[in-house]
Amino acid sequence: MEDLGTRELVIAGGGLVGMAVGVGALSLGASVLAFDAGDTSLRASRGNFGLIWGQSKGARGRDYAAWTQRAIAAWPAFQDEIRELTGIDTGLRTGAGLHLCLSEEEFDARSRLIQKIAGYGFPDNDARMIRRDEVRSLLPGIGPDVVGASFSTQDGDCHSLALYRGLAEAYSRLGGALKTAQPVLGITPSGSGYRVTTPEFSVWSPRVLIAAGLGTNALARPFGFPDVVIGQRGQILVTERLQPFLDVVTSGLRQLPEGTVLIGDTKEEGEHDRATSSGISYLARRAARAFPAIAHARVVRAWAALRVLTPDGDPVYDESPTHPGIFVASTHSGVTLASAHRGPLAHWLMGGQRPPEFAAFSARRFT
Amino acid sequence: MKQYQLAVIGAGPAGMAAATEASRQGLSVIVLDEQAQPGGQIYRAIEQASPQRLAVLGADYAKGSALAAGFRASGADYLPSTLLWNAERKDGHFLLDLSTGAGSRRISASRLLVATGAVERPVPVPGWTLPGVTTAGALQILLKAHGGVAQSAVLAGAGPLLLLLAQQMIAAGVAPRAVVEIGPANRLRRALPFLPRALAGWRYLVKGAGMLRALRQAGVAWYQGASGFWIEGSGEATAVHFEIAGEAHRIECSQVALHMGVVPNPQLTRMLRCEHDWHPTQQAFVPRTDVFFETSEAGVFVAGDGAGIGGAASAVLRGQLVALRIAALEGVRGAEARIPAIRRRLKRDAAVRPFLEALYAPAEEVLNPTDTTLVCRCEEVTAGAIRQAVAGGAPGPNQLKAFLRCGMGPCQGRTCGPAVTALVARTRGVSEAEAGYFRVRPPLKPLPLSELADIAED
Amino acid sequence: MLKRLEPVPAGGADKEDEGLEFDFEGTRISAAPGDTVAAALMLAGIRTTRSTPASGASRAPYCLMGSCFECLMEIDGVPNRQACMVAVRPGMVVRRQAGAARLALTGGPEGGL
């Protein structure tokens, strides 16, 4: 086993969360090493739908809405930083984010959610419910079942795979070390810090961030954390490349810059495992009801990827109650929140101020 | 929903033989095949072949006639022009979702036999995407199914198919302009240690000698030990370039057929999440099976070249063996009695393989292409971009998909898959087994969304 | 160049299954029974059958066995079909696939399949 010496921060997990925090810590001047799992590990970062989305965040409380607002506000500068470092355009596109409702029941439920979050009074959140005719003026071609939608000009999407690649490349440009195919096997207290071991390497650090998707629970348990991650598969369909035809973003159907269309579960916090023919079929039928012309498009892949949900859907950012320096970060919103992970989260990990929202994101709420 | 004891995917030699034998044993069998007629690629259009075409294509091709006739008479249900796009387990059965050209359809089967054969190894050389460049298999399909031949063609690469195609073109009266063997000049010397064992398969050696004789008699230029192969052309292929022992060659041509051997078609066994092992002499991933060709996924069998390259005669034997095994598992008494004899014939038929694998090992220059060479044809990703992404932290093909869209185009990684594995392994300095392969996901081929929406709810 | 060993059967009202003709971008192409669209075009001397969505580069059928997806064409108004897997039918209208498919935004689903 090779001893890699010491680092100021070691990250278990090279996904969207780990890389965003890594970029933030590196730009504060810290030395950082990240370990990542293998090529076929279940990766939420590859299955992300890619929305930049605020309108529905915060059903359980104001703090998640506040944290999301901070992240969205920071996104343009964050995108510029990635572009300057790597030349990669992460494709931020906001101005029209729609969640289509296919029945009056869906519309009513959505209205209550949007109203509650509007009640927090964030000035940039202009989400409101609109009826069918207004939806159609924004998105001609909706199907007869669309009764209305929630709509926000603050919301949109980015090219999430470009973001993932851009973060990994920015991390490396800033001098971050990434060891792939090296899942973390153990984190053990050693002196005033911790020794982190993988199949081939070991490294010492005063600070360890566990951001390892499904692997998070097992790594965090010895440090007094309750289980914070529920693995759940969400399904996405991806079409062939198509000429540009869709310039607004909906929560279940959006077109990427290269022309492919992503079709996802419109339940933003899904409750089912649909990595099956019937799951594919369910998504296909729902997409065709929302936007009938999409029935013509060819589906190239059905993508069942891990969705990293916490038990209540809100993020977890916490330090171990028993072992100072061991941190856990977990959220299924690794795209929207990437800018906040790069900023305030990384700052806190490296000894800066704890963001005020984080009181609500403690893992202790699950004990 | 109709239920079968056995669903066979693919109507080539293995699939036809298995379906015929399983039907004879009294099993309910269905055969699903993407082509409109039985035969697979090796016996493509066998039922339509005119005497003239049979004469051109040779005796081994003609053997497919009896096989196809037996299959037609077997009583097995047969769905041609049908794509299996997903298969999943439910209550001890497999639910199979089919695209029939007239919407989706679902059947169920107790066991599956994957008989989807082989695909040609990608040959990423500069210019391989130009119009006028095809696989050697494509030119052979033109000959078998459409009576078409290429004039002024250069056949390049390595492998028995390259020489067979040359021989068939000569028989058709349109000899290739040249045959260019890419790779080491001393192929034969490297393979000689395997020759004694191969003598047990002397018929293959005689056939090979016949190909070389045909080439010589027709006066076809035969280049060996070529390296630095590339195809010239703007808009379409106009010439090939290569070097032999430091001497540069350029041959004008309008058609180039590339070949660097075949590998098991991995799509269906990968989608079914069967375990695969790296086969170092075949230079390919092969599904892991037991002695009855059952994969790591219980109830999923694989026969024919999909179980490891063995050729058409072995494919038939493997198909029969699997059919007898499944019949025994389904309670047919005495079904396994013939298996030992089939095993002996399989062993004899395979004797020539180590010699051929050593003789026609893929050339290093197609496994490790130059930086500017396209590897993923669909998304136009170069070898250089892949090397850079691997250096930047992509450990394998699946992360390359995410970073580069490599393998994300309409062919779903079918064409570039083996090349990406080889390149990752060489860039990382690890084995191909560690480099890994693309995850294959449903639908097995791109399908209209309306067709996916069409299947019955469970 | 590619050529046929056997002549294409001539068309005629008295012969069924023979004289398969279809339209390729305004040109009439003769096919033989059993021809796929890709084979018929190749044997008629058509060299390029699509341009790629990524760079616009010219491509043509490559494997002819349904694996490589290089032969994608617009057949009877439906984009991105594998021309090597589609049998020629008389009167078909075939066009090169120019880059990414255009989604038909009007008409029912049956119009695009």
Side-chain angles (χ1 to χ4, degrees), chain B residues 44 53 128-129 131 134-135 138 146-149 151 236 254-255 377 380 414 445 450, chain C residues 1-6 34-35 39 47 52 54-55 59 62 64 66-67 70 82 113:
Chain B
R44 182 93 180 245
R53 263 184 223 174
W128 73 310
T129 55
T134 68
T135 63
H146 312 285
V149 282
Q151 295 169 298
E236 58 182 81
S254 57
Q255 203 73 35
R377 297 172 62 109
E380 300 181 59
R414 277 176 175 77
K445 276 188 166 184
S450 57
Chain C
M1 287 299 134
L2 296 157
K3 71 161 195 177
R4 290 181 193 270
L5 292 173
E6 303 142 42
D35 274 1
R47 299 281 282 174
T52 63
S55 76
R59 295 286 171 88
Y62 179 69
L64 286 188
S67 184
E70 287 291 5
Q82 289 186 281
L113 303 177

mmCIF file of all heavy atoms in Angstrom, chain B residues 44 53 128-129 131 134-135 138 146-149 151 236 254-255 377 380 414 445 450, chain C residues 1-6 34-35 39 47 52 54-55 59 62 64 66-67 70 82 113:
data_model
loop_
_atom_site.group_PDB
_atom_site.id
_atom_site.type_symbol
_atom_site.label_atom_id
_atom_site.label_comp_id
_atom_site.label_asym_id
_atom_site.label_seq_id
_atom_site.Cartn_x
_atom_site.Cartn_y
_atom_site.Cartn_z
ATOM 1 N N ARG B 44 -26.538 -15.936 -44.440
ATOM 2 C CA ARG B 44 -27.458 -14.874 -44.833
ATOM 3 C C ARG B 44 -28.062 -15.196 -46.200
ATOM 4 O O ARG B 44 -27.345 -15.566 -47.133
ATOM 5 C CB ARG B 44 -26.685 -13.546 -44.891
ATOM 6 C CG ARG B 44 -27.480 -12.324 -45.244
ATOM 7 C CD ARG B 44 -27.991 -11.605 -44.029
ATOM 8 N NE ARG B 44 -28.749 -10.429 -44.455
ATOM 9 C CZ ARG B 44 -28.375 -9.184 -44.191
ATOM 10 N NH1 ARG B 44 -27.301 -8.950 -43.492
ATOM 11 N NH2 ARG B 44 -29.114 -8.175 -44.632
ATOM 12 N N ARG B 53 -24.945 -18.225 -57.130
ATOM 13 C CA ARG B 53 -24.419 -17.682 -55.891
ATOM 14 C C ARG B 53 -23.819 -18.769 -55.016
ATOM 15 O O ARG B 53 -22.783 -18.576 -54.384
ATOM 16 C CB ARG B 53 -25.527 -16.962 -55.113
ATOM 17 C CG ARG B 53 -25.520 -15.478 -55.362
ATOM 18 C CD ARG B 53 -26.544 -14.773 -54.515
ATOM 19 N NE ARG B 53 -27.236 -13.773 -55.329
ATOM 20 C CZ ARG B 53 -28.270 -13.068 -54.898
ATOM 21 N NH1 ARG B 53 -28.758 -13.265 -53.688
ATOM 22 N NH2 ARG B 53 -28.819 -12.182 -55.677
ATOM 23 N N TRP B 128 -11.445 5.603 -41.439
ATOM 24 C CA TRP B 128 -12.363 4.443 -41.476
ATOM 25 C C TRP B 128 -13.834 4.839 -41.503
ATOM 26 O O TRP B 128 -14.681 3.988 -41.731
ATOM 27 C CB TRP B 128 -12.079 3.468 -40.340
ATOM 28 C CG TRP B 128 -12.490 3.879 -38.937
ATOM 29 C CD1 TRP B 128 -12.216 5.048 -38.313
ATOM 30 C CD2 TRP B 128 -13.224 3.072 -37.983
ATOM 31 N NE1 TRP B 128 -12.713 5.037 -37.024
ATOM 32 C CE2 TRP B 128 -13.341 3.841 -36.802
ATOM 33 C CE3 TRP B 128 -13.775 1.790 -38.013
ATOM 34 C CZ2 TRP B 128 -13.996 3.362 -35.655
ATOM 35 C CZ3 TRP B 128 -14.428 1.318 -36.869
ATOM 36 C CH2 TRP B 128 -14.536 2.097 -35.720
ATOM 37 N N THR B 129 -14.118 6.131 -41.319
ATOM 38 C CA THR B 129 -15.522 6.555 -41.379
ATOM 39 C C THR B 129 -15.914 7.059 -42.765
ATOM 40 O O THR B 129 -17.063 7.428 -42.989
ATOM 41 C CB THR B 129 -15.789 7.684 -40.360
ATOM 42 O OG1 THR B 129 -14.874 8.745 -40.608
ATOM 43 C CG2 THR B 129 -15.606 7.197 -38.932
ATOM 44 N N PRO B 131 -17.197 7.337 -46.524
ATOM 45 C CA PRO B 131 -18.002 6.527 -47.440
ATOM 46 C C PRO B 131 -17.068 5.764 -48.388
ATOM 47 O O PRO B 131 -16.058 6.292 -48.831
ATOM 48 C CB PRO B 131 -18.834 7.568 -48.198
ATOM 49 C CG PRO B 131 -18.963 8.700 -47.224
ATOM 50 C CD PRO B 131 -17.632 8.752 -46.510
ATOM 51 N N THR B 134 -16.178 -0.102 -45.675
ATOM 52 C CA THR B 134 -17.128 -0.948 -44.958
ATOM 53 C C THR B 134 -16.353 -2.007 -44.189
ATOM 54 O O THR B 134 -15.134 -2.117 -44.324
ATOM 55 C CB THR B 134 -18.086 -1.684 -45.917
ATOM 56 O OG1 THR B 134 -17.335 -2.641 -46.669
ATOM 57 C CG2 THR B 134 -18.794 -0.735 -46.867
ATOM 58 N N THR B 135 -17.084 -2.789 -43.436
ATOM 59 C CA THR B 135 -16.486 -3.999 -42.879
ATOM 60 C C THR B 135 -16.359 -5.024 -44.004
ATOM 61 O O THR B 135 -17.055 -4.944 -45.028
ATOM 62 C CB THR B 135 -17.363 -4.594 -41.774
ATOM 63 O OG1 THR B 135 -18.610 -4.989 -42.348
ATOM 64 C CG2 THR B 135 -17.617 -3.593 -40.659
ATOM 65 N N ALA B 138 -19.639 -6.657 -44.464
ATOM 66 C CA ALA B 138 -20.634 -5.957 -45.286
ATOM 67 C C ALA B 138 -20.491 -6.337 -46.753
ATOM 68 O O ALA B 138 -21.492 -6.572 -47.449
ATOM 69 C CB ALA B 138 -20.488 -4.440 -45.108
ATOM 70 N N HIS B 146 -27.369 -10.063 -52.018
ATOM 71 C CA HIS B 146 -27.750 -9.150 -53.089
ATOM 72 C C HIS B 146 -26.963 -9.373 -54.375
ATOM 73 O O HIS B 146 -27.146 -8.632 -55.335
ATOM 74 C CB HIS B 146 -27.599 -7.701 -52.624
ATOM 75 C CG HIS B 146 -28.216 -7.459 -51.282
ATOM 76 N ND1 HIS B 146 -29.584 -7.374 -51.105
ATOM 77 C CD2 HIS B 146 -27.671 -7.322 -50.056
ATOM 78 C CE1 HIS B 146 -29.833 -7.185 -49.812
ATOM 79 N NE2 HIS B 146 -28.702 -7.152 -49.161
ATOM 80 N N GLY B 147 -26.091 -10.356 -54.380
ATOM 81 C CA GLY B 147 -25.315 -10.615 -55.586
ATOM 82 C C GLY B 147 -24.487 -9.422 -56.020
ATOM 83 O O GLY B 147 -24.277 -9.215 -57.212
ATOM 84 N N GLY B 148 -23.982 -8.667 -55.064
ATOM 85 C CA GLY B 148 -23.206 -7.475 -55.393
ATOM 86 C C GLY B 148 -21.734 -7.676 -55.097
ATOM 87 O O GLY B 148 -21.369 -8.343 -54.121
ATOM 88 N N VAL B 149 -20.876 -7.149 -55.947
ATOM 89 C CA VAL B 149 -19.437 -7.206 -55.697
ATOM 90 C C VAL B 149 -18.830 -5.823 -55.912
ATOM 91 O O VAL B 149 -19.366 -5.002 -56.659
ATOM 92 C CB VAL B 149 -18.699 -8.202 -56.620
ATOM 93 C CG1 VAL B 149 -18.907 -9.623 -56.151
ATOM 94 C CG2 VAL B 149 -19.122 -8.016 -58.045
ATOM 95 N N GLN B 151 -15.791 -3.524 -57.230
ATOM 96 C CA GLN B 151 -14.638 -3.453 -58.118
ATOM 97 C C GLN B 151 -13.619 -2.520 -57.490
ATOM 98 O O GLN B 151 -13.988 -1.585 -56.789
ATOM 99 C CB GLN B 151 -15.074 -2.915 -59.484
ATOM 100 C CG GLN B 151 -16.025 -3.867 -60.183
ATOM 101 C CD GLN B 151 -16.666 -3.244 -61.397
ATOM 102 O OE1 GLN B 151 -17.383 -2.253 -61.273
ATOM 103 N NE2 GLN B 151 -16.410 -3.820 -62.560
ATOM 104 N N GLU B 236 -15.053 10.859 -49.648
ATOM 105 C CA GLU B 236 -15.127 9.412 -49.800
ATOM 106 C C GLU B 236 -13.730 8.841 -50.000
ATOM 107 O O GLU B 236 -12.789 9.568 -50.333
ATOM 108 C CB GLU B 236 -16.055 9.012 -50.944
ATOM 109 C CG GLU B 236 -15.680 9.572 -52.293
ATOM 110 C CD GLU B 236 -16.704 9.139 -53.350
ATOM 111 O OE1 GLU B 236 -17.775 9.766 -53.446
ATOM 112 O OE2 GLU B 236 -16.409 8.164 -54.055
ATOM 113 N N SER B 254 -11.595 2.600 -54.696
ATOM 114 C CA SER B 254 -12.822 3.310 -54.333
ATOM 115 C C SER B 254 -13.559 2.597 -53.204
ATOM 116 O O SER B 254 -14.510 3.120 -52.642
ATOM 117 C CB SER B 254 -13.745 3.410 -55.548
ATOM 118 O OG SER B 254 -14.025 2.113 -56.039
ATOM 119 N N GLN B 255 -13.118 1.390 -52.884
ATOM 120 C CA GLN B 255 -13.809 0.610 -51.862
ATOM 121 C C GLN B 255 -12.760 -0.028 -50.964
ATOM 122 O O GLN B 255 -11.793 -0.614 -51.471
ATOM 123 C CB GLN B 255 -14.654 -0.483 -52.550
ATOM 124 C CG GLN B 255 -15.820 -0.998 -51.737
ATOM 125 C CD GLN B 255 -16.965 -0.012 -51.640
ATOM 126 O OE1 GLN B 255 -17.250 0.725 -52.570
ATOM 127 N NE2 GLN B 255 -17.610 0.029 -50.485
ATOM 128 N N ARG B 377 -17.612 6.319 -33.634
ATOM 129 C CA ARG B 377 -18.028 6.873 -34.921
ATOM 130 C C ARG B 377 -19.275 7.744 -34.775
ATOM 131 O O ARG B 377 -19.395 8.789 -35.432
ATOM 132 C CB ARG B 377 -18.327 5.737 -35.909
ATOM 133 C CG ARG B 377 -17.131 4.867 -36.241
ATOM 134 C CD ARG B 377 -17.549 3.656 -37.068
ATOM 135 N NE ARG B 377 -18.124 4.026 -38.335
ATOM 136 C CZ ARG B 377 -17.543 3.849 -39.527
ATOM 137 N NH1 ARG B 377 -16.355 3.281 -39.606
ATOM 138 N NH2 ARG B 377 -18.153 4.209 -40.628
ATOM 139 N N GLU B 380 -18.302 10.888 -32.749
ATOM 140 C CA GLU B 380 -17.051 11.433 -33.262
ATOM 141 C C GLU B 380 -16.076 11.814 -32.149
ATOM 142 O O GLU B 380 -15.660 12.959 -32.013
ATOM 143 C CB GLU B 380 -17.337 12.602 -34.217
ATOM 144 C CG GLU B 380 -18.199 12.116 -35.394
ATOM 145 C CD GLU B 380 -18.519 13.194 -36.412
ATOM 146 O OE1 GLU B 380 -17.576 13.747 -36.968
ATOM 147 O OE2 GLU B 380 -19.710 13.464 -36.622
ATOM 148 N N ARG B 414 -22.089 -0.262 -29.696
ATOM 149 C CA ARG B 414 -21.829 -1.543 -30.364
ATOM 150 C C ARG B 414 -20.510 -1.519 -31.134
ATOM 151 O O ARG B 414 -19.742 -2.468 -31.103
ATOM 152 C CB ARG B 414 -22.930 -1.825 -31.386
ATOM 153 C CG ARG B 414 -24.162 -2.445 -30.827
ATOM 154 C CD ARG B 414 -25.211 -2.588 -31.938
ATOM 155 N NE ARG B 414 -26.371 -3.297 -31.441
ATOM 156 C CZ ARG B 414 -27.295 -2.761 -30.667
ATOM 157 N NH1 ARG B 414 -27.204 -1.501 -30.306
ATOM 158 N NH2 ARG B 414 -28.315 -3.481 -30.230
ATOM 159 N N LYS B 445 -32.108 -1.752 -28.815
ATOM 160 C CA LYS B 445 -31.825 -0.851 -29.931
ATOM 161 C C LYS B 445 -32.756 0.349 -29.783
ATOM 162 O O LYS B 445 -33.813 0.229 -29.160
ATOM 163 C CB LYS B 445 -32.098 -1.530 -31.273
ATOM 164 C CG LYS B 445 -30.964 -2.368 -31.802
ATOM 165 C CD LYS B 445 -31.273 -2.823 -33.206
ATOM 166 C CE LYS B 445 -30.031 -3.379 -33.881
ATOM 167 N NZ LYS B 445 -30.327 -3.735 -35.281
ATOM 168 N N SER B 450 -43.233 5.898 -28.751
ATOM 169 C CA SER B 450 -44.619 5.405 -28.788
ATOM 170 C C SER B 450 -44.651 3.888 -28.634
ATOM 171 O O SER B 450 -45.580 3.335 -28.054
ATOM 172 C CB SER B 450 -45.281 5.802 -30.095
ATOM 173 O OG SER B 450 -44.525 5.300 -31.178
ATOM 174 N N MET C 1 -16.087 0.771 -56.965
ATOM 175 C CA MET C 1 -17.512 0.805 -57.306
ATOM 176 C C MET C 1 -18.123 -0.577 -57.114
ATOM 177 O O MET C 1 -17.456 -1.594 -57.225
ATOM 178 C CB MET C 1 -17.683 1.242 -58.771
ATOM 179 C CG MET C 1 -17.400 2.721 -58.988
ATOM 180 S SD MET C 1 -18.525 3.768 -58.038
ATOM 181 C CE MET C 1 -17.379 4.933 -57.330
ATOM 182 N N LEU C 2 -19.412 -0.574 -56.852
ATOM 183 C CA LEU C 2 -20.110 -1.835 -56.626
ATOM 184 C C LEU C 2 -20.951 -2.172 -57.842
ATOM 185 O O LEU C 2 -21.467 -1.295 -58.523
ATOM 186 C CB LEU C 2 -21.008 -1.693 -55.402
ATOM 187 C CG LEU C 2 -20.230 -1.445 -54.102
ATOM 188 C CD1 LEU C 2 -21.110 -0.779 -53.065
ATOM 189 C CD2 LEU C 2 -19.669 -2.745 -53.566
ATOM 190 N N LYS C 3 -21.051 -3.455 -58.110
ATOM 191 C CA LYS C 3 -21.920 -3.853 -59.217
ATOM 192 C C LYS C 3 -22.630 -5.158 -58.873
ATOM 193 O O LYS C 3 -22.233 -5.888 -57.970
ATOM 194 C CB LYS C 3 -21.109 -4.002 -60.508
ATOM 195 C CG LYS C 3 -20.174 -5.208 -60.531
ATOM 196 C CD LYS C 3 -19.777 -5.553 -61.961
ATOM 197 C CE LYS C 3 -19.165 -6.940 -62.014
ATOM 198 N NZ LYS C 3 -18.804 -7.385 -63.351
ATOM 199 N N ARG C 4 -23.702 -5.412 -59.635
ATOM 200 C CA ARG C 4 -24.453 -6.646 -59.410
ATOM 201 C C ARG C 4 -23.964 -7.731 -60.356
ATOM 202 O O ARG C 4 -23.687 -7.475 -61.530
ATOM 203 C CB ARG C 4 -25.947 -6.416 -59.694
ATOM 204 C CG ARG C 4 -26.637 -5.537 -58.677
ATOM 205 C CD ARG C 4 -28.107 -5.419 -59.054
ATOM 206 N NE ARG C 4 -28.753 -4.352 -58.298
ATOM 207 C CZ ARG C 4 -29.333 -4.555 -57.114
ATOM 208 N NH1 ARG C 4 -29.371 -5.751 -56.579
ATOM 209 N NH2 ARG C 4 -29.896 -3.541 -56.479
ATOM 210 N N LEU C 5 -23.900 -8.970 -59.839
ATOM 211 C CA LEU C 5 -23.537 -10.102 -60.680
ATOM 212 C C LEU C 5 -24.691 -10.487 -61.588
ATOM 213 O O LEU C 5 -24.500 -10.975 -62.687
ATOM 214 C CB LEU C 5 -23.161 -11.304 -59.813
ATOM 215 C CG LEU C 5 -21.881 -11.160 -59.003
ATOM 216 C CD1 LEU C 5 -21.713 -12.338 -58.068
ATOM 217 C CD2 LEU C 5 -20.688 -11.056 -59.935
ATOM 218 N N GLU C 6 -25.909 -10.301 -61.048
ATOM 219 C CA GLU C 6 -27.093 -10.685 -61.819
ATOM 220 C C GLU C 6 -27.876 -9.410 -62.095
ATOM 221 O O GLU C 6 -27.954 -8.538 -61.237
ATOM 222 C CB GLU C 6 -27.953 -11.668 -61.002
ATOM 223 C CG GLU C 6 -27.170 -12.914 -60.580
ATOM 224 C CD GLU C 6 -27.533 -13.413 -59.164
ATOM 225 O OE1 GLU C 6 -28.728 -13.430 -58.829
ATOM 226 O OE2 GLU C 6 -26.613 -13.754 -58.406
ATOM 227 N N GLY C 34 -35.581 -8.900 -52.288
ATOM 228 C CA GLY C 34 -34.665 -9.211 -51.193
ATOM 229 C C GLY C 34 -33.720 -8.087 -50.848
ATOM 230 O O GLY C 34 -32.994 -8.177 -49.865
ATOM 231 N N ASP C 35 -33.708 -7.033 -51.649
ATOM 232 C CA ASP C 35 -32.811 -5.912 -51.355
ATOM 233 C C ASP C 35 -33.281 -5.140 -50.130
ATOM 234 O O ASP C 35 -34.473 -4.894 -49.961
ATOM 235 C CB ASP C 35 -32.770 -4.926 -52.538
ATOM 236 C CG ASP C 35 -31.751 -5.338 -53.585
ATOM 237 O OD1 ASP C 35 -31.095 -6.375 -53.409
ATOM 238 O OD2 ASP C 35 -31.634 -4.611 -54.591
ATOM 239 N N ALA C 39 -28.610 -1.741 -49.342
ATOM 240 C CA ALA C 39 -27.949 -2.499 -50.405
ATOM 241 C C ALA C 39 -28.336 -1.954 -51.770
ATOM 242 O O ALA C 39 -27.483 -1.801 -52.655
ATOM 243 C CB ALA C 39 -28.309 -3.981 -50.284
ATOM 244 N N ARG C 47 -23.026 6.834 -52.928
ATOM 245 C CA ARG C 47 -21.873 6.676 -52.035
ATOM 246 C C ARG C 47 -22.146 7.182 -50.619
ATOM 247 O O ARG C 47 -21.630 6.634 -49.666
ATOM 248 C CB ARG C 47 -20.671 7.442 -52.607
ATOM 249 C CG ARG C 47 -20.249 6.940 -53.982
ATOM 250 C CD ARG C 47 -19.441 5.672 -53.907
ATOM 251 N NE ARG C 47 -18.058 5.942 -53.512
ATOM 252 C CZ ARG C 47 -17.182 4.983 -53.259
ATOM 253 N NH1 ARG C 47 -17.534 3.712 -53.320
ATOM 254 N NH2 ARG C 47 -15.942 5.293 -52.906
ATOM 255 N N THR C 52 -23.468 13.379 -40.308
ATOM 256 C CA THR C 52 -23.570 13.142 -38.869
ATOM 257 C C THR C 52 -24.128 14.360 -38.136
ATOM 258 O O THR C 52 -23.896 15.496 -38.554
ATOM 259 C CB THR C 52 -22.192 12.823 -38.263
ATOM 260 O OG1 THR C 52 -21.338 13.969 -38.426
ATOM 261 C CG2 THR C 52 -21.561 11.623 -38.938
ATOM 262 N N ALA C 54 -23.064 15.264 -35.247
ATOM 263 C CA ALA C 54 -21.992 15.878 -34.459
ATOM 264 C C ALA C 54 -21.199 16.887 -35.292
ATOM 265 O O ALA C 54 -20.995 18.016 -34.868
ATOM 266 C CB ALA C 54 -21.076 14.802 -33.886
ATOM 267 N N SER C 55 -20.762 16.502 -36.501
ATOM 268 C CA SER C 55 -19.907 17.407 -37.272
ATOM 269 C C SER C 55 -20.400 17.647 -38.697
ATOM 270 O O SER C 55 -19.838 18.469 -39.406
ATOM 271 C CB SER C 55 -18.488 16.826 -37.353
ATOM 272 O OG SER C 55 -18.461 15.749 -38.290
ATOM 273 N N ARG C 59 -21.333 10.070 -44.321
ATOM 274 C CA ARG C 59 -21.209 8.661 -43.948
ATOM 275 C C ARG C 59 -22.000 7.799 -44.925
ATOM 276 O O ARG C 59 -22.846 8.305 -45.682
ATOM 277 C CB ARG C 59 -21.740 8.414 -42.527
ATOM 278 C CG ARG C 59 -20.939 9.098 -41.436
ATOM 279 C CD ARG C 59 -19.604 8.412 -41.184
ATOM 280 N NE ARG C 59 -18.772 9.204 -40.287
ATOM 281 C CZ ARG C 59 -18.803 9.106 -38.958
ATOM 282 N NH1 ARG C 59 -19.609 8.250 -38.377
ATOM 283 N NH2 ARG C 59 -18.006 9.850 -38.226
ATOM 284 N N TYR C 62 -21.980 0.824 -43.293
ATOM 285 C CA TYR C 62 -20.674 0.295 -42.906
ATOM 286 C C TYR C 62 -20.715 -1.210 -42.652
ATOM 287 O O TYR C 62 -19.870 -1.940 -43.146
ATOM 288 C CB TYR C 62 -20.190 1.047 -41.660
ATOM 289 C CG TYR C 62 -18.851 0.594 -41.135
ATOM 290 C CD1 TYR C 62 -17.685 0.832 -41.852
ATOM 291 C CD2 TYR C 62 -18.750 -0.071 -39.912
ATOM 292 C CE1 TYR C 62 -16.458 0.407 -41.371
ATOM 293 C CE2 TYR C 62 -17.527 -0.486 -39.426
ATOM 294 C CZ TYR C 62 -16.378 -0.252 -40.159
ATOM 295 O OH TYR C 62 -15.161 -0.670 -39.673
ATOM 296 N N LEU C 64 -23.826 -3.316 -42.638
ATOM 297 C CA LEU C 64 -24.945 -3.965 -43.345
ATOM 298 C C LEU C 64 -25.622 -5.069 -42.536
ATOM 299 O O LEU C 64 -26.367 -5.865 -43.098
ATOM 300 C CB LEU C 64 -24.508 -4.515 -44.713
ATOM 301 C CG LEU C 64 -24.273 -3.482 -45.814
ATOM 302 C CD1 LEU C 64 -24.042 -4.207 -47.154
ATOM 303 C CD2 LEU C 64 -25.464 -2.533 -45.953
ATOM 304 N N GLY C 66 -27.033 -4.348 -39.289
ATOM 305 C CA GLY C 66 -27.877 -3.787 -38.231
ATOM 306 C C GLY C 66 -27.152 -3.382 -36.984
ATOM 307 O O GLY C 66 -27.763 -3.076 -35.971
ATOM 308 N N SER C 67 -25.824 -3.349 -37.038
ATOM 309 C CA SER C 67 -25.069 -3.119 -35.815
ATOM 310 C C SER C 67 -24.513 -1.701 -35.692
ATOM 311 O O SER C 67 -24.478 -1.142 -34.610
ATOM 312 C CB SER C 67 -23.925 -4.141 -35.737
ATOM 313 O OG SER C 67 -23.217 -4.023 -34.544
ATOM 314 N N GLU C 70 -24.692 3.316 -39.102
ATOM 315 C CA GLU C 70 -24.175 4.323 -40.029
ATOM 316 C C GLU C 70 -25.153 4.564 -41.177
ATOM 317 O O GLU C 70 -25.060 5.568 -41.875
ATOM 318 C CB GLU C 70 -22.827 3.874 -40.611
ATOM 319 C CG GLU C 70 -21.670 3.954 -39.636
ATOM 320 C CD GLU C 70 -21.285 5.378 -39.288
ATOM 321 O OE1 GLU C 70 -21.958 6.335 -39.710
ATOM 322 O OE2 GLU C 70 -20.276 5.529 -38.576
ATOM 323 N N GLN C 82 -32.756 2.409 -39.871
ATOM 324 C CA GLN C 82 -31.604 1.634 -40.344
ATOM 325 C C GLN C 82 -31.912 1.110 -41.738
ATOM 326 O O GLN C 82 -32.655 0.145 -41.904
ATOM 327 C CB GLN C 82 -31.328 0.463 -39.403
ATOM 328 C CG GLN C 82 -30.762 0.866 -38.061
ATOM 329 C CD GLN C 82 -30.386 -0.353 -37.247
ATOM 330 O OE1 GLN C 82 -31.234 -1.001 -36.654
ATOM 331 N NE2 GLN C 82 -29.104 -0.678 -37.211
ATOM 332 N N LEU C 113 -44.348 7.211 -37.497
ATOM 333 C CA LEU C 113 -43.781 5.902 -37.236
ATOM 334 C C LEU C 113 -43.809 5.059 -38.478
ATOM 335 O O LEU C 113 -43.335 3.978 -38.509
ATOM 336 C CB LEU C 113 -44.564 5.210 -36.098
ATOM 337 C CG LEU C 113 -44.584 6.032 -34.813
ATOM 338 C CD1 LEU C 113 -45.414 5.347 -33.753
ATOM 339 C CD2 LEU C 113 -43.176 6.271 -34.276
#
